[in-house]
Amino acid sequence: MLIPLTKETFDQVVPVIATGAQYSHAWGKVYNLLARLLISLLIVVSIWIVGLIFGHGARGVELVCFIIGGMYWLWCPVYVASVRNNQYRRFPYVGFWRGEVLDIFITEELISQTQQADQFGQLVLVENIERRINLEVGDRQGFTAVVQAPVQKTYKAIRPGMVAEILLFSKNAELERVGKLSDLYLPQLDLWVGDYPVVRRDIFRDISNQFGSSAPRRRSPSLGTSGRFH
């Protein structure tokens, strides 16, 4: 089942400004917070040094810069999440898709690479590997895609054949080619699978309940890029 959404519904389900879940995701881990705090400190010190060199003529502007720079650690996640939202909002068309889970498998993905010095002082390449769950979803019309996310204990309850719902983003009004997918919703478990909480989940549930199981079907789209979405 594939149903186009109106622009009004699109704006509600994928907002411009970060939601609470998106802010929490962009907040990151402790080391991300420490990095932002360090940047905030550097910004404040830099503004203070510039003030010493060139004088403190514009006190009001300097105060605003101090506040903005000092609060960087707090507002940066909002900016990061909003930029990521824009990657989805740049698609003019979106559709609500319902299919089922076809397959479940685990992979190990390379997340990042860093260089560190070993005990002999030589630089070695350290790879950060993460175990990720992959859900292959599809429908009777032949559309398939793979949604990937970090492994969680709650995902153990997922089984092939379960109903899967997702938003498809496209540059084509007929939604014939898909550019991006949102995070995946499994209504039977009230469970979300994805690398980033793209949608407002309360709005998405309302859409799911509104369409129910009797909504008209459209021809399934094809993937515009890769069959795997993160």
Side-chain angles (χ1 to χ4, degrees), residues 6-16 19 89 198-204 206-207:
T6 64
K7 184 65 168 65
E8 180 182 1
T9 303
F10 185 4
D11 291 338
Q12 292 176 348
V13 73
V14 185
V16 177
T19 64
R89 291 180 57 83
V198 178
V199 302
R200 270 193 58 180
R201 296 180 171 179
D202 56 333
I203 300 295
F204 188 96
D206 289 342
I207 295 172

Side-chain angles (χ1 to χ4, degrees), residues 161-217:
M162 286 185 169
V163 174
E165 300 175 341
I166 204 166
L167 295 186
L168 311 182
F169 299 85
S170 176
K171 294 183 179 180
N172 185 281
E174 298 300 321
L175 301 171
E176 293 176 344
R177 293 185 64 82
V178 177
K180 279 187 176 294
L181 303 178
S182 72
D183 36 339
L184 182 72
Y185 180 55
L186 303 171
Q188 291 166 273
L189 300 175
D190 192 23
L191 185 64
W192 296 85
V193 180
D195 192 52
Y196 177 72
V198 178
V199 302
R200 270 193 58 180
R201 296 180 171 179
D202 56 333
I203 300 295
F204 188 96
R205 290 189 183 96
D206 289 342
I207 295 172
S208 175
N209 294 331
Q210 175 186 348
F211 290 139
S213 59
S214 59
R217 297 186 178 186

Side-chain angles (χ1 to χ4, degrees), residues 36-37 39-41 43-44 47 63-75:
R36 293 198 300 271
L37 287 172
I39 293 175
S40 293
L41 178 60
I43 293 174
V44 170
I47 296 173
L63 178 60
V64 171
C65 291
F66 267 122
I67 295 174
I68 295 175
M71 298 298 291
Y72 170 85
W73 64 274
L74 185 62
W75 59 258

Side-chain angles (χ1 to χ4, degrees), residues 25 84 88 130 132-135 146-152 154-155 158 165-166 181-186 191-199 201 229-230:
H25 184 276
R84 191 157 184 179
Y88 294 86
E130 183 179 61
R132 301 177 71 87
I133 188 172
N134 298 261
L135 297 188
V146 176
V147 177
Q148 193 180 80
V151 172
Q152 298 182 19
T154 53
Y155 294 159
I158 302 174
E165 300 175 341
I166 204 166
L181 303 178
S182 72
D183 36 339
L184 182 72
Y185 180 55
L186 303 171
L191 185 64
W192 296 85
V193 180
D195 192 52
Y196 177 72
V198 178
V199 302
R201 296 180 171 179
F229 288 80
H230 300 261

